[in-house]
């Protein structure tokens, strides 16, 4: 993991802050393990982890004004200086408008500003500590610092309503550690904290001004090309060049690299055959420069970009995509590598792994992704996030009705009717969209709270049912049906309390609100995936989640988004604008293959370890689930019963995360007593905030 951590005290010099560390509750001096100090008194900042030299940039205008940028940032030193001078007046948005993916920290006197990103892939956390506020880009270090216990209400909300911000609010799995929302910045003034948004919010009273679709797509193309070019312009890295033990009889450089589990030097990309990954691979290979491996290392391919395709031998349905990937790899600037995966890469195949900052479904699919990325490059492009920033959430149909654009519902509704084969689909979809357009946010959240209390969980059975279920402000998560009545009641209380605090609602249209929520959830899952499958010296690049790309995608008109096949058409236009027009037949066609078959096979193969995992689960000790209920669900899913597989993945991944968290023995801080780490008391049974609802017990 790589993270930054800082501190702002109430008054300079009173809290024991210094360049060597900070004074804790018991008078001990603490500082992060394995850190490099970026600046010291009175509000220090550290970078922790294996940061590359070009990923950490600092610039100082005077003794009281400085900026640190950590990550991939395309701004020049002069642009950083101008941005720093502008930020002295309190402006924030321009600090997030440079190409790349980074975290910017600005210090002006005693005011410290930490900017989060728009997607949520680079979050910022904070907690009160020692007469001030500590902040970091990871939650676990702050939890260690304050010896935080688990927030069981947050864990229950992760299972019962993972896509509902009203349930999760700004909490984290650690009690006392808070998260700033995407599109916001944390501002500290001598220890006092404020969370401020830097993005304008569309008005509910006035429809958005009309946007020319061609110009909007051109803006997406320019932002995406600039995001890729920024990565290509960064220095190239040869993994482990300083620790190579030297020649080994019978082994060349590539074999030694593989034996150490290190990536190929240079730049590469996923090439699944889908539109998102292939767009990035073709852009990286087609832009001027030297995109590929470093000459003399790895494949010996010179300037060719390494393209990696995962071929799942344990399940079927993606043969067409793999074939398209092979045709795309015929590009002379691509070096194609196909990674075959059998039962050892099925979901649930490997239940051991590193501790991540937060739980996520990637913990049960880590072996699958690690097998692919192990053959990747030191800098590896992935297409994660393209669906969330380009596609239309079904709730956007309600936005069209609110803007009196009914005729634009014809094409998406016709596509759903064709897929379902029923003439009743248009009326059902239109009715659901109309109800959502007329439902206030508060009523939608209160309706979810009531559904949780009454245990009404209707699992959608097809594309039409899934679209109808998504036409709501909030809906239960797939794992909610397996929670105890006490846990569901706790989440219901959180929802009702959030609506009382929120007043009128989120200030956005339902479709736009749901789309931003889905993007934040995906970004959080991606962050967990990066930590769960982390390969030493490798960097995963997700240009679709860059601030400028997200902004450009948000300008796409809804009338363009809701068209069937809109994402593929937009990316086809992006490639055409970059001079790439020769695409194989069927490129961008939606795949009908599902991961359900591989997931069920993985459940069946790993049935024994999963039963042992839920023999005496920590989730049951916390009062969130009943062990027998989960074991019955796992057996049923492995046997083919129509159960929500995503919900089971949420349960298993959360149980795995809890076990790894409690099994750790170290801490993120040095100079602290042995007790100074998160969850020092372990799992304890929690008394519910409200009395359990009569009859609201786990499923039998």
């Amino acid at each position: 993991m790589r993270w930054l951590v800082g501190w702002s005290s109430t008054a300079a010099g009173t809290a024991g802050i210094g360049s060597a560390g900070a004074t804790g509750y018991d008078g001990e001096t603490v500082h992060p393990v394995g850190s490099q100090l970026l600046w010291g008194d009175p509000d220090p900042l550290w970078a922790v982890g294996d940061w590359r030299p070009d990923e950490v940039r600092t610039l100082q205008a005077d003794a009281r004004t400085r900026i640190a940028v950590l990550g991939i940032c395309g701004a020049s030193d002069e642009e950083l200086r101008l941005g720093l001078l502008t930020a002295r007046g309190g402006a924030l948005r321009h600090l997030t408008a440079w190409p790349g993916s980074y975290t910017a920290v600005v210090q002006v006197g005693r005011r410290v500003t930490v900017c989060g990103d728009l997607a949520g892939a680079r979050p910022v956390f904070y907690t009160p500590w020692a007469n001030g506020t500590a902040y970091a880009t990871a939650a676990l270090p702050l939890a260690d610092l304050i010896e935080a216990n688990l927030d069981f209400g947050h864990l229950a909300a992760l299972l019962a309503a993972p896509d509902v911000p009203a349930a999760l609010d700004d909490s984290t799995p650690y009690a006392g550690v808070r998260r700033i929302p995407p599109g916001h910045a944390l501002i500290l003034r001598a220890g006092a904290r404020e969370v401020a948004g830097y993005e304008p919010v569309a008005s509910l009273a006035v429809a958005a001004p009309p946007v020319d679709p061609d110009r909007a797509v051109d803006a997406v193309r320019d932002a995406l090309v600039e995001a890729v070019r920024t990565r290509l312009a960064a220095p190239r890295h040869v993994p482990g060049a300083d620790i190579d033990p030297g020649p080994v009889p019978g082994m060349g450089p590539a074999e030694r690299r593989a034996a150490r589990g290190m990536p190929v030097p240079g730049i590469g990309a996923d090439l699944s055959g889908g539109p998102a990954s292939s767009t990035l691979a073709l852009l990286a290979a087609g832009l001027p420069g030297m995109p590929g491996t470093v000459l003399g290392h790895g494949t010996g391919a010179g300037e060719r970009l390494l393209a990696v395709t995962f071929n799942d031998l344990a399940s079927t349905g993606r043969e067409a995509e793999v074939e398209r990937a092979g045709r795309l790899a015929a590009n002379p600037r691509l070096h194609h590598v196909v990674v075959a995966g059998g039962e050892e890469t099925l979901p649930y195949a490997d239940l051991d792994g590193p501790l991540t900052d937060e739980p996520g479904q990637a913990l049960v699919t880590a072996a699958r992704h690690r097998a692919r990325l192990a053959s990747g490059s030191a800098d590896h492009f992935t297409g994660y996030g393209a669906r969330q920033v380009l596609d239309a959430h079904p709730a956007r149909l309600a936005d069209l009705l609110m803007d009196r654009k009914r005729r634009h519902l014809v094409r998406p509704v016709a596509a759903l009717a064709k897929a379902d084969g029923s003439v009743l689909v248009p009326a059902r979809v239109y009715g659901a969209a109309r109800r959502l357009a007329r439902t206030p946010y508060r009523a939608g959240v209160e309706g979810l709270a009531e559904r949780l209390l009454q245990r009404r969980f209707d699992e959608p059975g097809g594309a039409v049912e899934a679209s109808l279920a998504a036409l709501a402000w909030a809906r239960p998560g797939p794992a909610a049906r397996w929670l105890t009545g006490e846990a569901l009641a706790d989440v219901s209380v959180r929802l009702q309390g959030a609506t009382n605090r929120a007043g009128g609602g989120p200030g956005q249209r339902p479709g736009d609100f749901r789309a931003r929520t889905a993007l934040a959830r995906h970004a959080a899952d991606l962050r967990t995936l990066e930590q769960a499958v982390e390969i030493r010296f490798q960097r995963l690049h997700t240009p679709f989640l860059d601030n400028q790309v997200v902004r450009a995608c948000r300008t796409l008109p809804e009338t363009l988004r809701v068209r069937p096949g809109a994402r593929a058409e937009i990316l086809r236009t992006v490639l055409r604008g970059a001079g790439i027009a020769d695409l194989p037949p069927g490129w961008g066609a939606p795949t009908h293959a599902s991961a359900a078959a591989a997931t069920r096979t993985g459940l069946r193969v790993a049935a024994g370890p999963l039963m042992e995992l839920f023999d005496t689960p920590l989730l049951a000790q916390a009062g969130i689930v009943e062990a027998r209920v989960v074991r019955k669900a796992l057996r049923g899913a492995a046997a083919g019963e129509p159960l929500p597989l995503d919900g089971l993945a949420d349960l298993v991944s959360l149980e795995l995360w809890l076990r790894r968290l409690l099994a750790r023995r170290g801490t993120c801080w040095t100079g602290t007593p042995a007790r100074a780490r998160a969850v020092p008391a372990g799992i304890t049974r929690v008394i519910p905030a409200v009395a359990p609802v009569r009859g609201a017990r786990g499923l039998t």
Side-chain angles (χ1 to χ4, degrees):
M1 288 177 57
R2 290 169 297 279
W3 40 281
L4 63 88
V5 60
W7 166 265
S8 179
S9 60
T10 304
T14 62
I17 283 290
S19 59
T23 302
Y25 295 115
D26 298 332
E28 71 277 10
T29 300
V30 300
H31 60 270
V33 175
S35 62
Q36 56 174 313
L37 184 68
L38 301 184
W39 59 62
D41 290 331
D43 305 311
L45 176 67
W46 293 274
V48 185
D50 59 335
W51 292 95
R52 294 171 175 174
D54 57 286
E55 292 176 333
V56 180
R57 300 170 62 188
T58 59
L59 190 144
Q60 185 168 341
D62 54 53
R64 297 172 52 85
T65 308
R66 47 196 170 188
I67 184 174
V69 178
L70 290 89
I72 301 295
C73 180
S76 63
D77 289 345
E78 183 60 27
E79 289 174 323
L80 290 181
R81 184 178 300 277
L82 291 176
L84 176 58
L85 297 178
T86 305
R88 288 195 299 190
L92 297 179
R93 191 175 187 273
H94 70 285
L95 297 175
T96 67
W98 296 311
S101 178
Y102 56 89
T103 301
V105 183
V106 172
Q107 185 182 45
V108 180
R110 295 302 315 281
R111 187 185 74 206
V112 178
T113 303
V114 191
C115 296
D117 65 335
L118 290 176
R122 302 181 71 91
V124 178
F125 305 90
Y126 66 92
T127 186
W129 187 67
N131 299 321
T133 300
Y135 63 89
T137 54
L140 181 58
L142 298 182
D144 279 348
L145 186 64
I146 65 172
E147 302 176 37
N149 288 312
L150 290 170
D151 186 342
F152 294 99
H154 177 89
L155 298 181
L158 277 179
L159 298 174
D163 297 324
V164 184
L168 299 174
D169 197 23
D170 62 348
S171 62
T172 67
Y174 313 99
V177 180
R178 301 294 176 180
R179 176 202 319 268
I180 70 169
H184 287 67
L186 176 65
I187 304 174
L188 305 174
R189 294 180 176 89
R193 55 190 173 273
E194 174 191 356
V195 177
Y198 55 77
E199 284 293 291
V201 179
S203 172
L204 278 172
V206 181
V211 179
D212 180 38
D214 294 335
R215 289 189 176 181
V217 174
D218 289 344
V220 173
R221 179 200 63 205
D222 295 342
L224 201 55
V225 169
E226 188 62 27
V228 175
R229 183 180 286 118
T230 298
R231 271 83 172 182
L232 295 179
R236 303 301 165 85
H237 295 270
V238 179
D242 55 338
I243 62 173
D244 192 334
V248 178
M251 295 179 64
E255 287 78 10
R256 295 201 303 272
R257 175 199 60 76
R260 295 195 305 271
M262 294 184 181
V264 176
I267 296 180
D270 283 342
L271 187 63
S272 66
S277 64
S278 56
T279 295
L280 295 179
L282 293 174
L283 284 178
L287 291 176
M290 298 176 61
T293 56
V294 179
L295 194 62
H297 295 272
T299 63
E303 298 181 9
R304 291 198 292 168
L305 182 136
L306 179 66
V308 180
T309 299
F310 181 76
N311 186 14
D312 187 3
L313 302 180
S315 60
T316 60
R318 297 191 178 272
E319 292 79 3
E321 281 196 352
V322 175
E323 182 181 354
R324 280 196 294 272
R327 294 185 179 182
L328 289 167
N331 187 314
R333 300 197 75 181
L334 291 177
H335 175 71
H336 196 207
V337 173
V338 178
V339 178
E343 286 193 353
E344 71 281 358
T345 61
L346 285 169
Y348 306 98
D350 185 6
L351 299 182
D352 294 326
L355 172 65
T356 57
D357 194 41
E358 297 180 276
Q361 287 192 12
L363 298 184
V364 302
T365 59
R368 203 170 187 80
H369 297 289
R370 193 180 296 113
R372 180 185 84 253
L373 296 174
S375 299
S377 297
D379 291 277
H380 199 76
F381 285 97
T382 65
Y384 293 114
R387 184 185 303 275
Q388 285 70 28
V389 298
L390 292 174
D391 283 9
H393 193 280
R396 287 192 183 272
L397 298 179
D399 295 359
L400 293 176
L401 288 181
M402 296 176 68
D403 293 338
R404 301 183 182 276
K405 297 178 180 178
R406 295 180 179 86
R407 63 185 181 90
H408 294 285
L409 273 67
V410 174
R411 295 178 66 175
V413 171
L416 287 174
K418 182 179 179 181
D420 187 78
S422 173
V423 296
L424 301 178
V425 168
R428 296 175 63 196
V429 174
Y430 181 83
R434 187 178 181 183
R435 283 193 301 272
L436 176 58
R438 296 183 175 186
T439 302
Y441 170 75
R442 182 168 184 169
V445 175
E446 289 177 346
L448 173 61
E450 185 66 21
R451 287 186 62 182
L452 293 178
L453 287 177
Q454 297 180 1
R455 304 190 69 90
R456 291 191 287 112
F457 310 117
D458 301 323
E459 186 66 19
V464 175
E465 296 298 328
S467 298
L468 292 173
L471 284 166
W473 280 106
R475 58 190 302 262
R481 65 187 61 220
W482 294 301
L483 269 62
T484 61
E486 293 85 353
L488 291 176
D490 190 14
V491 177
S492 179
V493 169
R494 292 171 68 101
L495 289 170
Q496 293 170 356
T499 56
N500 293 333
R501 292 192 304 270
Q508 301 176 40
R509 286 170 166 75
D512 184 58
F513 176 75
R514 290 296 305 276
R516 291 173 187 251
T517 301
L519 175 61
R521 171 79 189 281
H522 178 78
D525 289 343
L526 173 63
R527 180 168 174 264
T528 302
L529 184 146
E530 288 180 328
Q531 298 168 6
V533 304
E534 185 176 21
I535 296 175
R536 193 178 184 188
F537 301 114
Q538 187 178 64
R539 298 290 188 272
L540 297 185
H541 298 283
T542 54
F544 284 104
L545 297 181
D546 286 5
N547 281 348
Q548 289 301 80
V549 176
V550 171
R551 284 194 178 100
C553 291
R554 285 181 177 174
T555 63
L556 293 170
E558 292 174 343
T559 55
L560 174 63
R561 288 179 182 272
V562 299
R563 298 176 187 173
R567 172 162 48 102
E569 188 57 34
I570 291 171
L571 294 180
R572 188 186 295 271
T573 305
V574 168
L575 291 175
R576 190 183 304 116
I580 303 170
D582 188 16
L583 298 175
W587 184 88
T591 176
H592 299 287
S594 172
T599 302
R600 290 191 188 278
T601 304
L603 284 170
R604 187 171 62 251
V605 172
L610 289 175
M611 290 299 111
E612 293 178 4
L613 183 69
F614 283 93
D615 185 22
T616 55
L618 298 176
L619 286 173
Q621 295 182 32
I624 297 177
V625 301
E626 293 184 10
R628 61 183 180 84
V629 173
V630 180
R631 290 197 298 267
K632 180 180 178 181
L634 289 171
R635 287 192 297 267
E641 293 183 16
L643 296 174
L645 301 181
D646 285 346
L648 290 175
D650 289 336
L651 285 171
V652 174
S653 60
L654 183 52
E655 178 67 21
L656 287 174
W657 181 81
L658 287 173
R659 289 175 179 263
R660 295 175 189 178
L661 178 65
L662 296 185
R664 69 191 289 255
R665 291 292 178 263
T667 176
C668 295
W669 299 84
T670 186
T672 61
R675 60 175 176 80
R677 62 186 181 92
V679 199
I683 299 288
T684 56
R685 180 82 181 193
V686 180
I687 300 177
V690 297
V693 178
R694 181 174 298 176
R697 297 182 59 82
L699 296 181
T700 58

